[in-house]
Amino acid sequence: MMKAISWLNDPVARSRNARPSLHAPWGALLALSLCGAAAAADSVTLRVNVFPTAKILPMFVGVDEGIFARHGLKVEVLHTENSAQQREGLAAGAFDIAQSAVDNAVAMVDAARKDVVIVMGISSGMNEFIVQPDIRSVPEVRGRTLIVDAPNTAYALVAKKILLNAGLREGADYKVKPIGRGSARLEAFFENREYAAAVMNPPFSILAVAKGMKSLGRTVDMLGPYQADGVFVMRAWARANAQALERYLAAYVDSLRWALDPAHRNQCIAMLKEKLKLPQQVAERTYALLVDPAFGLTPEAKLDLQGFRNVLALRAEIEGGIAPPAEKYLDLSYYRRAIGTLGN
C-alpha cells in the first residue's frame, strides 16, 4: 500500500522560508508578496511515488524548506513497498511521477508495453553488494539465496551479473527470493541466514554493515557506470502536463542544490535522522555518501547516457535480446527547459 509521508506540506516550514526580511525595500516586499500570491493561485498538486531511502533527501528539502511551494507546487510524496507496485500504480494513474531505478521504466516499455518516458536522472544508485558475515567472496554465495526487490528488474539484474561474473548462474548455483524494498531486505537478512546476499543502498547498506553484515564492494566498481535512479512518467501525461512537469524538475534540482551545499550539512543530517529514524552516526555517514561526487547524488540530477546504455546492455544480457537504442526510453527536453529556468 502506498502511504503519504507525514512531513508533507509543513505550513510552519513554508511560512518560515517564505517570510521576507523586515529590512527589505518595500518594492521588493511587494514583488515577493505578488509572486507568493501568484504561486499560491497557480499551485499545482503532483503525486510523486518513491522508495523511502536516503536518496530522497532532496524531497525532504523541497517540502521542509518550502522549495516546492516557491515553485508553485504542492507535492504529495507516496512510498512504495516494491517496484512492481510502483510500475502498476504509474500505469494505472495512481500517481503522476515515479522516482526509482530507471530500469523499471524500461521494463514497463518492453515487458508491459506501457508508453513511459524517462525525463531526468538522480544517481548511480549508491549500491553495495552486501552479504552475510561468513561470506568472504562472491563465489561463496553458491548454494544459497539472493534476496531482491523484484526478480527481473534493476538491482536484481545487477546482482545477477555480479554473481555471473563469479561463475554462478541463477537456478543452478543460487536461488532468488523477492522480498521488496531496502528496509524489508535488511530485516530479512537477520531473520534468515540462508539469505546470503543483496544489493543495498543507504541507509540500509550502512545499517547492515553496522549490525555485522559485510560489503563486498560498490556495484559501480564491480560493473562500471550505471544510471540507477531517475524520474519517469507516462508519456501522454508529460505531454498534457509539460509545464507542471518542468516546474517539478526545476524544483527538484533546486532542492538538490540546497541539499548538496555544505552550509546545509547539519540541517540535512537532522532531516535524515528524523525522517528515516536513524542514529546520529548513521545519518552523518549517510549524508557523507550522498554528497560524495563519485558515488552519491548526481549534481544537477543529470542523466548519465553511457550509464543508461549499460542498463540496457545488462538487461539484454541477463534477460535475453539485443539492447535497444537509449533514445527509445528518453525525453530530456523537459529537463533541459527546467534547468534553463534556474540560475547558476
Side-chain angles (χ1 to χ4, degrees), residues 9-10 13-18 39 57-75 247-260 264 268 271 342:
N9 307 313
D10 179 354
R14 287 189 174 187
S15 62
R16 180 179 65 244
N17 287 283
L57 174 61
M59 306 296 289
F60 299 153
V61 169
V63 173
D64 283 12
E65 294 301 316
I67 296 174
F68 288 140
R70 289 200 293 273
H71 283 265
L73 298 173
K74 178 183 178 182
V75 176
R247 195 186 295 182
Y248 173 75
L249 299 179
Y252 180 92
V253 173
D254 211 357
S255 301
L256 174 64
R257 291 176 178 179
W258 195 99
L260 296 180
H264 303 139
C268 287
M271 287 182 195
L342 297 174

Side-chain angles (χ1 to χ4, degrees), residues 102-121:
V102 294
D103 185 70
N104 287 305
V106 175
M108 289 185 71
V109 173
D110 291 347
R113 303 297 185 224
K114 302 298 182 182
D115 195 8
V116 175
V117 64
I118 300 163
V119 295
M120 187 173 75

Side-chain angles (χ1 to χ4, degrees), residues 132-168:
Q132 293 284 354
D134 62 300
I135 293 177
R136 296 167 296 180
S137 63
V138 175
E140 292 185 15
V141 175
R142 186 185 302 274
R144 295 170 72 175
T145 300
L146 168 71
I147 56 175
V148 299
D149 166 34
N152 54 2
T153 58
Y155 307 152
L157 303 184
V158 169
K160 291 178 184 181
K161 175 60 174 174
I162 290 170
L163 291 164
L164 185 61
N165 285 351
L168 305 185

